């Protein structure tokens, strides 16, 4: 990961996204890859969703909005952040 690459998404979210590929991804589907905050299909969407779960599991945010703002998560992922927030809130 290039920390100098100018992108709006927080570095921690990007790192969680990449770790998600390693931990949960389809390694054959990852032969050619570049992070995209707009990746909405398949392997990229799964990595975005797992990154949200990973970060919320490390430190549960007080609200979804605070989470989204802190990590600069793209607004189109808010639905997944809400789902994760609700499912993890029930567990606690």
């Amino acid at each position: 990961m290039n920390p100098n690459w100018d992108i709006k998404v927080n570095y921690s979210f990007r790192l969680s996204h990449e770790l998600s590929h390693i931990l949960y991804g389809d390694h054959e589907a990852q032969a050619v890859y570049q992070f995209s905050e707009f990746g909405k299909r398949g392997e990229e969407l799964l990595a975005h969703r797992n990154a949200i779960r990973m970060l919320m599991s490390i430190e549960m945010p007080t609200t979804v909005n605070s989470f989204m703002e802190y990590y600069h998560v793209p607004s189109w992922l808010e639905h997944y952040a809400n789902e994760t927030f609700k499912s993890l809130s029930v567990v606690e």
Side-chain angles (χ1 to χ4, degrees), residues 31-81:
V32 176
Y33 173 76
Q34 180 176 2
F35 177 86
S36 171
E37 64 187 284
F38 304 108
K40 298 181 182 183
R41 296 190 310 183
E43 193 69 22
E44 289 306 296
L45 179 57
L46 182 61
H48 287 321
R49 293 178 75 169
N50 284 328
I52 291 168
R53 179 169 292 286
M54 240 187 265
L55 291 169
M56 283 190 184
S57 295
I58 292 168
E59 183 175 345
M60 188 63 176
T62 54
T63 67
V64 172
N65 287 341
S66 65
F67 175 83
M68 300 284 290
E69 288 176 15
Y70 184 81
Y71 291 107
H72 303 279
V73 177
S75 61
W76 66 268
L77 288 167
E78 184 174 8
H79 171 74
Y80 300 110

Side-chain angles (χ1 to χ4, degrees), residues 19-32:
L19 289 171
S20 173
H21 278 295
I22 294 166
L23 295 171
Y24 311 113
D26 177 354
H27 298 288
E28 290 181 19
Q30 298 172 11
V32 176

Side-chain angles (χ1 to χ4, degrees), residues 60 83-92:
M60 188 63 176
E83 279 182 351
T84 303
F85 184 81
K86 288 176 185 173
S87 70
L88 292 176
S89 295
V90 171
V91 173
E92 291 182 358

